[in-house]
Amino acid sequence: MKHFLTRCSIILCLLVVLAVPVQAAQSYSHLYISISDALMNTKQDKEAEAKQALKQFTTDWAAVTSEQTEAQEKVDSILAQAIAATSKEERLSALSALSNALRLLEKLENPVDEAAQRAEFGTKFKPIMTEFEKALASGDITAIDAAYKEFNIKWNKHERPVREQSIAMYGQIETQMAFLRITISSEEPDIAEMQSQYADLKQTIEDFVAGEETAQVVEGEYSLATLIAYIDEANDFIDAGDYKAASDKIREFITIWPSVEIEVSTRNSSLYTKIESDMPIIVSDLLKSQVEEEGVKGKLNKFRTEIELIQGDTDYTLWDSALILLREGLEALLIILALVSFLNKSGQTAMRKWIYVGAFVGVLLSAVAAILMSTIFNSATVDANREMMEGYVGLLAAAMMIGVGIWLHSKASVTSWNRYISKQMGNAISSGSVFAMASVSFLSVFREGAETLVFYAGIAPKMETSQFVLGIVVALVILAVIAIVLFKASGKIPIHKLFAVATVLIYVLAFKIIGVSLHTLQLTNKISTTIVDGLPVVSFIGFYPTVETMIGQTILLVLVIVTILYKKKSRK
């Protein structure tokens, strides 16, 4: 029995040990994305967007716990410097240091032997280089091209230690490979030039394996806007017939590409892959004796549009924020005004306070719902899929706005409005109870508050907090003025005309939200992206030149037209 219990105890201990989960290494990928956003916006002089990205980093960083307290405190210190930065150069320097400090923390939490990593990379890559050298020695262009493609595939598979240990060496290898690809794809490939280019590439790889930092750092500040500028300049040279200058400009694009590629890869991995594989081919195509100008420009313009799509993170303005509260608040205000006016005319002024009580409770419960919504959107479990949720919630908000717009349209005539108000007041007064009066007021306010929350959830993640709050304040001020005017001039203002204006505004905002939300889902690869050539990105109204976003916005326009025609027919 004793031995049996002993064995059971041992087995139980083993089960307990095996059952204890191994703590997974923390992922900091979302933090690097925030740093990348801050860097990109700072380079483009978008100070507000850079501060918003830093705010997002601060929120996410607050949830991080680490046993490497010294390294964590270092990140805290540099983060404070980045937030307090007063100039572009100061912020860029702090953001670069912040990225390095975060990378150091990650290395301390997940210690690796960098020398061993380099040796392993060299061991894996040596046979790949040997195969390419054999093909290069044969002088057979077809064999060289096939060997290079295999070389590129294996590089993409094993490049990680190079990128993690030295961005400069990684960038130099990527650039040397691209130039080698250009020579291989040229109309008359020069074997001697290939051999010279490969010798430089091989030396850089061997230097990395030996732990030597020999890369020439690409000086300057580059961003997605820089890539677009290079493409525009190349297109101008093509239009002028100077294909050599155009190819040189794309070579410059390739040279600075490693400094910008992370901004593309974190937002659209398929675009990152296409640019890396196709840009060297475009350089070769431009140097051929017969240049297919339209084909080359088509490729460049498609890349330009796709880069502009990920660059143009649409921000809503304070007026978008104000419009939502104005529309919803106006509806609740008009219903409350109608109830109060009816009580005044029926001599039951003592019951007015219950209407105000109902409205106040509606505001309170809407505020509670707002806090719950904010908590959900900022929870750690949701963070990884934040953009996806923004897209779906935005579409929900747009759907509700369409319904609201149709409802508004139905009340944009004197007869329809009077019929609606008479029904609302009649139901309340017929009950002869205080509770009924307060309930109508409460439900009016809470219903509008609930709709407002969904609308705000669709746009709040895409705008600055200051603009968001300012929009609400502006709306409240306007509503206060309207309330005073309405109560002073009760019964004299054509309320149905206010609804007609609100209908137009709500449809315009729904158009924008549909475009932005579908675009967000495209960036997260939840829906496909089919570029329509020749059309611009108009982020101010949420227009993106893709088939998917245009279909969504076309459906809205069709619904609006059908609603207008139906109302006209009903009136006849």
Side-chain angles (χ1 to χ4, degrees):
M1 184 68 175
K2 180 179 179 181
H3 293 300
F4 173 75
L5 291 175
T6 301
R7 289 168 185 165
C8 285
S9 299
I10 294 172
I11 292 171
L12 181 61
C13 289
L14 287 172
L15 289 174
V16 169
V17 171
L18 292 173
V20 175
V22 177
Q23 185 177 1
Q26 294 190 79
S27 173
Y28 295 138
S29 58
H30 58 301
L31 293 173
Y32 286 116
I33 291 174
S34 293
I35 294 175
S36 175
D37 287 342
L39 278 166
M40 178 183 70
N41 287 313
T42 299
K43 289 176 180 179
Q44 296 176 10
D45 295 318
K46 296 180 178 179
E47 185 175 355
E49 289 85 345
K51 288 182 177 179
Q52 182 65 25
L54 271 174
K55 183 178 179 182
Q56 183 62 55
F57 180 96
T58 304
T59 301
D60 295 336
W61 175 247
V64 173
T65 56
S66 174
E67 294 180 0
Q68 302 295 332
T69 55
E70 187 176 343
Q72 188 172 10
E73 289 171 359
K74 182 69 173 175
V75 174
D76 289 334
S77 174
I78 298 175
L79 175 58
Q81 294 174 22
I83 293 172
T86 57
S87 67
K88 178 179 179 179
E89 292 72 21
E90 189 179 348
R91 182 179 293 122
L92 286 172
S93 177
L95 287 170
S96 178
L98 183 61
S99 179
N100 291 334
L102 186 61
R103 189 171 289 108
L104 175 61
L105 173 62
E106 199 169 17
K107 286 182 177 180
L108 290 173
E109 290 182 345
N110 308 280
V112 294
D113 186 337
E114 291 190 348
Q117 273 192 341
R118 292 194 299 272
E120 183 181 5
F121 170 80
T123 301
K124 290 179 178 178
F125 221 69
K126 188 174 181 179
I128 301 167
M129 295 168 68
T130 301
E131 288 299 315
F132 182 77
E133 288 166 12
K134 289 179 180 177
L136 191 58
S138 71
D140 184 341
I141 299 300
T142 302
I144 293 172
D145 184 54
Y148 175 84
K149 289 177 180 176
E150 185 64 21
F151 185 101
N152 188 52
I153 291 171
K154 295 295 176 61
W155 161 251
N156 290 329
K157 183 178 179 181
H158 299 298
E159 68 179 19
R160 182 174 179 178
V162 185
R163 186 175 65 249
E164 289 181 348
Q165 291 191 32
S166 174
I167 290 294
M169 295 291 279
Y170 169 78
Q172 183 159 301
I173 292 172
E174 288 261 300
T175 303
Q176 289 170 334
M177 287 179 62
F179 288 161
L180 178 58
R181 176 64 171 157
I182 291 169
T183 305
I184 294 172
S185 304
S186 60
E187 195 170 38
E188 297 180 1
D190 187 331
I191 299 296
E193 186 176 358
M194 286 183 214
Q195 290 173 336
S196 175
Q197 290 172 329
Y198 175 72
D200 293 337
L201 171 61
K202 181 179 179 181
Q203 187 61 55
T204 304
I205 292 174
E206 289 177 346
D207 287 343
F208 169 76
V209 173
E212 299 175 12
E213 189 77 21
T214 57
Q216 295 180 355
V217 179
V218 178
E219 300 291 343
E221 296 177 0
Y222 304 104
S223 65
L224 297 179
T226 311
L227 299 182
I228 292 173
Y230 277 137
I231 291 175
D232 286 341
E233 290 179 45
N235 275 330
D236 289 341
F237 283 127
I238 292 172
D239 290 337
D242 192 344
Y243 301 130
K244 176 64 169 61
S247 71
D248 288 342
K249 188 57 62 175
I250 300 303
R251 281 177 180 270
E252 290 180 40
F253 179 107
I254 291 170
T255 301
I256 64 103
W257 168 250
S259 303
V260 188
E261 65 174 29
I262 188 65
E263 297 176 14
V264 177
S265 63
T266 55
R267 291 170 173 80
N268 190 332
S269 57
S270 61
L271 174 60
Y272 163 80
T273 302
K274 285 189 289 184
I275 288 177
E276 286 217 330
S277 61
D278 290 1
M279 276 302 189
I281 305 299
I282 290 175
V283 174
S284 298
D285 289 342
L286 286 167
L287 295 175
K288 291 180 178 179
S289 56
Q290 295 295 324
V291 176
E292 296 182 10
E293 183 176 314
E294 291 304 316
V296 171
K297 285 194 66 176
K299 290 179 182 179
L300 288 175
N301 286 330
K302 186 172 182 179
F303 281 144
R304 187 193 190 284
T305 301
E306 292 197 65
I307 293 170
E308 193 175 15
L309 282 174
I310 61 176
Q311 179 194 31
D313 268 348
T314 299
D315 289 326
Y316 294 99
T317 67
L318 71 90
W319 295 112
D320 294 316
S321 174
L323 174 61
I324 290 174
L325 184 56
L326 274 174
R327 203 227 63 80
E328 301 303 324
L330 181 61
E331 182 180 338
L333 181 63
L334 291 175
I335 292 174
I336 291 172
L337 174 65
L339 292 172
V340 170
S341 298
F342 184 87
L343 288 175
N344 288 338
K345 291 177 182 179
S346 61
Q348 302 182 60
T349 55
M351 294 180 67
R352 289 184 305 183
K353 65 179 179 180
W354 297 110
I355 295 177
Y356 299 138
V357 168
F360 181 71
V361 174
V363 170
L364 282 182
L365 289 184
S366 295
V368 171
I371 293 171
L372 291 175
M373 180 74 75
S374 177
T375 302
I376 292 172
F377 264 80
N378 287 296
S379 66
T381 55
V382 171
D383 186 71
N385 298 307
R386 181 182 298 274
E387 287 201 343
M388 182 180 69
M389 285 192 64
E390 289 172 10
Y392 288 131
V393 171
L395 291 177
L396 173 61
M400 289 186 66
M401 280 187 162
I402 294 171
V404 168
I406 293 173
W407 183 89
L408 280 170
H409 196 95
S410 69
K411 302 295 177 287
S413 69
V414 177
T415 304
S416 298
W417 172 247
N418 288 337
R419 186 186 308 120
Y420 174 73
I421 288 301
S422 296
K423 179 181 178 182
Q424 292 295 318
M425 291 187 299
N427 289 341
I429 295 299
S430 64
S431 66
S433 69
V434 172
F435 178 77
M437 296 299 297
S439 295
V440 171
S441 178
F442 163 74
L443 290 175
S444 298
V445 173
F446 184 70
R447 183 189 65 183
E448 307 313 324
E451 288 182 356
T452 302
L453 286 175
V454 176
F455 297 159
Y456 277 151
I459 73 169
K462 293 285 186 182
M463 65 187 302
E464 285 185 73
T465 302
S466 60
Q467 292 286 297
F468 180 69
V469 174
L470 185 58
I472 292 175
V473 171
V474 169
L476 289 173
V477 171
I478 295 174
L479 283 173
V481 173
I482 292 175
I484 293 171
V485 172
L486 287 178
F487 276 97
K488 292 288 184 181
S490 178
K492 297 180 181 179
I493 295 178
I495 294 174
H496 63 283
K497 290 187 178 180
L498 292 177
F499 271 39
V501 173
T503 302
V504 174
L505 293 177
I506 212 70
Y507 282 145
V508 170
L509 188 53
F511 183 91
K512 180 174 184 177
I513 290 179
I514 287 172
V516 172
S517 300
L518 289 174
H519 173 56
T520 300
L521 292 175
Q522 287 176 325
L523 294 182
T524 55
N525 293 320
K526 293 301 175 184
I527 61 175
S528 59
T529 302
T530 307
I531 301 293
V532 178
D533 293 331
L535 296 178
V537 174
V538 188
S539 57
F540 178 73
I541 61 171
F543 178 79
Y544 298 91
T546 71
V547 171
E548 294 77 10
T549 55
M550 291 169 66
I551 287 175
Q553 290 169 328
T554 300
I555 291 173
L556 168 64
L557 296 177
V558 170
L559 285 173
V560 171
I561 293 170
V562 169
T563 300
I564 292 172
L565 294 176
Y566 176 76
K567 293 303 174 186
K568 284 186 177 180
K569 183 178 179 181
S570 298
R571 287 168 190 166
K572 290 180 180 179

